[in-house]
Amino acid sequence: MDLSKYKNLRFFVPNLNSLACKCVALTVIALVLRAVFLPRFCSFRGIEPNNSFAFNKPFRIYSEFHSRNSKFLEVPQIVWGLNNQKIALARACLTARLLNRTLLMPSLSASLFYKEIDKLEPISFHKVFQFEKFNSLCKGFVQLARHSEISNRSNVFELQKGTGRRWTIEKDLDQLRQLSSNHYDDYEVIRITGKNPFLWHDHWPVEDYSTVFQCLVLVEDISRQADKVISKIRQIGLQENHNISTGYVAVHMRIEEDWMIHCKKMQQRSNISEICSSKDEIMERVTNIVGLKKPVAIYIAVADNLLEDKTLLSGWNEGLLPFTKKKLGVVELYEKQPYLIQSAIDYEVCLRSNVFVGNSFSTFSSLVVLDRTQKMINIGVGKLCGIDVMWPSYAYNLLGKSKGPRPWATNMSDSSLNAVSYGTNHISCL
Ligand SMILES: *[C@@H]1O[C@H](CO)[C@@H](O)[C@H](O)[C@H]1NC(C)=O
Ligand SMILES: *[C@@H]1O[C@H](CO)[C@@H](O)[C@H](O)[C@H]1NC(C)=O
Ligand SMILES: *[C@@H]1O[C@H](CO)[C@@H](O)[C@H](O)[C@H]1NC(C)=O
Ligand SMILES: *[C@@H]1O[C@H](CO)[C@@H](O)[C@H](O)[C@H]1NC(C)=O
Ligand SMILES: *[C@@H]1O[C@H](CO)[C@@H](O)[C@H](O)[C@H]1NC(C)=O
Ligand SMILES: *[C@@H]1O[C@H](CO)[C@@H](O)[C@H](O)[C@H]1NC(C)=O
């Protein structure tokens, strides 16, 4: 495959916005068509009168949702790593949708701490993602509001969310459903409190999460930083080898020590041997990607504590030119930013890569692949696996053809996010 042919795609230029709009429009059209041509699903609601909200419905009609402008949902500060925060944020949105309420712009956390509350460094949603863009892309699905829109701050119903092992997914869902009864209509704000890194359980299909993720567009200042990193990868690659393809491969390498301990435990517990991959295995599999045009630049995305590790750059086969943040000279650009923004930049660099290679047991990798898969579906691509698709992805922990990594796409029909993000080796490509 000639990667260079993709270099002019609008996806790779800083302005993602108009494409995103079109994508949403196309998704809506596709969903409406599905709804029209699959009438058997329309009787769904008739069979289950209790199920008046769009749980696990195989399609969405956006106009079904009428967020009442004057009714709000407030959620606790969202914490932990970028991916946990995105998942929790989507969950808050989907809860607001369930309650026909507008979600008050939540507070995210700029630092990685979770338990030490004083170090959480709250950062408002709109400092990371574009607020108005979110509302325009997610119109009819879910809406965000500013806290200043509340008219009566004492008209609040506060709900403490349950936790612990005995707080089952069914209890959790029941509690949320009860909130949607008329009884709570008089409250302007429903404020949910409690402490859980993901807010609460996963009650929604992958498609619903994906819809919310598609509305999250980084603020320009952050996406400009990602642009800088990406153009560095291309420039420095060209300086080193004039024959290099203008595209790049991003490899999300999970090889840091605490991950290795964690993944070996997972391997034992789940009796699955394909979770951990050594650096050598990753390098070998990337080399063997069927159809990868070489020479090509490799962007190595690693955890912070490996930034100084010089061995990351050695051992790559000829034709693969590895780059770390240090070699690109972008360490400073990252260090100026808090933890959350650093991850957001790295996520963007992986998302926009021509080829992405990650670990199917990593949430970061899984969300990148989900995003890439959704973008291909949005533009109407039928085939999702292999090097000749628009944005190919691979799982290096799973063995594919010719000793390469296995092609990877997200199964959008999965009924829960668990299946695609908390670790799995079902990656819907063969
Ligand atoms: C909802 O379903 C339960 C049992 O599944 C039933 O007892 C209840 O009456 C139903 N409520 C409504 C409003 O249909
Ligand atoms: C605000 O809400 C409280 C509690 O519902 C209510 O008692 C009070 O009258 C409201 N104030 C105004 C100005 O509506
Ligand atoms: C949400 O709004 C729709 C349309 O107005 C309505 O049919 C539905 O009953 C509402 N649900 C709740 C929980 O208020
Ligand atoms: C670039 O390609 C040409 C023709 O294939 C080859 O002769 C040359 O050695 C290559 N240069 C590098 C730096 O690989
Ligand atoms: C683990 O998997 C292997 C092969 O897949 C199987 O032979 C073995 O019985 C399994 N062990 C347990 C404890 O499930
Ligand atoms: C995707 O998920 C659905 C629902 O779990 C399942 O029926 C289907 O077989 C999966 N498709 C692939 C390709 O894994």
Side-chain angles (χ1 to χ4, degrees), residues 206-207 370 373 408-415 420 426-428:
V206 172
E207 257 191 330
L370 173 79
T373 305
W408 181 8
T410 301
N411 182 354
M412 290 293 172
S413 352
D414 247 310
S415 57
V420 297
H426 297 292
I427 57 172
S428 86

Side-chain angles (χ1 to χ4, degrees), residues 21-61:
C21 287
K22 278 185 199 147
C23 292
V24 167
L26 283 173
T27 314
V28 173
I29 292 167
L31 290 168
V32 168
L33 285 178
R34 264 169 81 188
V36 169
F37 289 114
L38 293 174
R40 69 200 165 94
F41 290 135
C42 297
S43 58
F44 193 84
R45 299 173 88 203
I47 299 165
E48 288 180 68
N50 259 346
N51 194 349
S52 55
F53 11 79
F55 267 150
N56 297 326
K57 274 216 290 197
F59 66 91
R60 296 182 294 269
I61 299 174

Side-chain angles (χ1 to χ4, degrees), residues 23 26 373-384 390:
C23 292
L26 283 173
T373 305
Q374 183 65 60
K375 286 189 161 69
M376 288 194 281
I377 292 172
N378 288 348
I379 57 173
V381 176
K383 185 177 176 237
L384 300 171
M390 186 83 70

Side-chain angles (χ1 to χ4, degrees), residues 172-183:
D172 190 75
L173 180 55
D174 272 353
Q175 192 190 37
L176 290 178
R177 278 183 166 158
Q178 268 161 26
L179 279 182
S180 63
S181 81
N182 300 343
H183 183 67

